[in-house]
Amino acid sequence: MNRSSSTSAIILSLKPLGENNSSVTLLTPDAGIVYAVLYGGPKSRLRSLVAQWNSGKVWLYENPEKNQIKINDFEVMNYHDSFSQNLFKSYAASLAAEITIKTRCAGSAAQCHRLVSGFLDGMELCDEEQSRLGLLRFLWRYLELLGIQPNSHACCNCGKTFLDTQFAPKAVSYYNSMENSFICPDCVESGGSSQSGNMINVHFSAVQYLSALSVLSPSEARKLSIDQEVYGQIRQLVFFLIENSIDQKLNSIETGMGIL
């Protein structure tokens, strides 16, 4: 049995383990979340390489006697230095890591690794304003990975397609939590929102934006823009959907309130 292996990995977190060692949480495309031990004190070469948010190729050794996985080497391919200099990016990355760990990669290690890697690399290249939109896109796509992304293509009452229909940008639409879909402004006006306790108010332009994210390529989606009010509504909605899906509050959202 070969106990040594190598794979791509993102360093999601590090915690002290004893005086000189660290417990490391890795995201890999093969095994998903991997918990490994990094040996060595402050002067260790690996200590500077195995840093939070770094991504690259890791060499692992599995010791079945100790029921332990050890990091033998790490080749960094992407650094994310700006995360330590920008509070929003730091919290956004922590939120992505927390969701990934708590949902166990949504059951798809390879797709999760690709999604998280693209999000972190994208934030490194963007300013804070662009990164905020990047977080919305990441969370919306992660909802799809979880299999609970709401149907944003058409009204669940009348079937009217949102992308091909024109309403005033701030016309009232609703997210229907019972149907996990949206209701168009026409149906809202005609009384289609009778289950008011299950409704979340969102502007029509917010629904259109989410619908566009579902059909456009990542490069095309990055060209879309929204105003602050619509951004706030979408953020509130995707936070609600993510926390509702795992049936618990996310520490990154609770501690990052006012930052995220």
Side-chain angles (χ1 to χ4, degrees), residues 29-48:
D30 308 308
I33 301 298
V34 173
Y35 298 98
V37 176
L38 174 65
Y39 289 98
K43 294 183 180 180
S44 166
R45 179 187 68 87
L46 272 179
R47 180 62 66 91
S48 62

Side-chain angles (χ1 to χ4, degrees), residues 3-259:
R3 298 181 181 179
S4 298
S5 62
S6 63
T7 184
S8 299
I10 303 170
I11 311 297
L12 296 184
S13 70
L14 296 96
K15 295 180 180 179
L17 184 65
E19 292 185 6
N20 293 316
N21 307 320
S22 298
S23 174
V24 185
T25 304
L26 306 165
L27 170 60
T28 74
D30 308 308
I33 301 298
V34 173
Y35 298 98
V37 176
L38 174 65
Y39 289 98
K43 294 183 180 180
S44 166
R45 179 187 68 87
L46 272 179
R47 180 62 66 91
S48 62
L49 298 175
V50 182
Q52 190 176 30
W53 313 130
N54 284 358
S55 62
K57 186 174 182 179
V58 65
W59 282 262
L60 303 171
Y61 176 79
E62 185 173 0
N63 187 334
E65 286 80 15
K66 292 184 177 181
N67 192 28
Q68 184 184 88
I69 297 175
K70 170 188 173 184
I71 297 177
N72 277 342
D73 204 357
F74 188 65
E75 179 185 356
V76 182
M77 296 179 181
N78 289 292
Y79 295 89
H80 300 97
D81 296 332
S82 68
F83 293 9
S84 62
Q85 303 163 9
N86 183 283
L87 203 54
F88 171 80
K89 289 185 179 183
S90 177
Y91 271 97
S94 295
L95 176 57
E98 185 178 3
I99 292 170
T100 298
I101 293 169
K102 288 185 175 179
T103 63
R104 300 188 180 187
C105 301
S108 179
Q111 292 184 61
C112 181
H113 179 271
R114 189 183 308 116
L115 191 58
V116 173
S117 178
F119 173 53
L120 298 183
D121 292 348
M123 277 206 300
E124 181 63 25
L125 298 174
C126 296
D127 58 23
E128 182 176 318
E129 182 178 354
Q130 294 168 321
S131 295
R132 288 183 178 277
L133 286 177
L135 176 61
L136 295 188
R137 294 193 297 268
F138 167 78
L139 293 174
W140 185 247
R141 289 169 183 145
Y142 204 91
L143 287 169
E144 181 181 18
L145 195 61
L146 285 167
I148 57 170
Q149 186 188 87
N151 176 12
S152 60
H153 299 301
C155 175
C156 66
N157 278 0
C158 68
K160 193 173 296 178
T161 304
F162 290 126
L163 283 180
D164 298 333
T165 307
Q166 295 300 317
F167 289 102
K170 295 189 178 181
V172 177
S173 299
Y174 282 101
Y175 165 71
N176 183 340
S177 62
M178 293 296 291
E179 300 288 340
N180 196 31
S181 55
F182 295 92
I183 296 175
C184 74
D186 278 350
C187 288
V188 171
E189 289 185 5
S190 64
S193 58
S194 57
Q195 296 175 321
S196 58
N198 302 314
M199 304 293 179
I200 297 177
N201 185 338
V202 288
H203 292 326
F204 179 70
S205 56
V207 183
Q208 276 197 316
Y209 179 77
L210 294 175
S211 184
L213 293 185
S214 300
V215 298
L216 296 178
S217 68
S219 60
E220 292 173 323
R222 285 193 292 269
K223 298 175 184 178
L224 300 177
S225 61
I226 50 178
D227 64 30
Q228 284 298 313
E229 186 175 1
V230 170
Y231 170 83
Q233 286 191 341
I234 296 175
R235 178 186 59 190
Q236 180 184 15
L237 177 63
V238 293
F239 282 3
F240 165 78
L241 291 172
I242 287 287
E243 290 189 324
N244 192 55
S245 72
I246 62 176
D247 198 28
Q248 61 179 290
K249 294 293 184 181
L250 290 165
N251 185 59
S252 302
I253 292 178
E254 295 296 299
T255 59
M257 192 65 64
I259 299 173

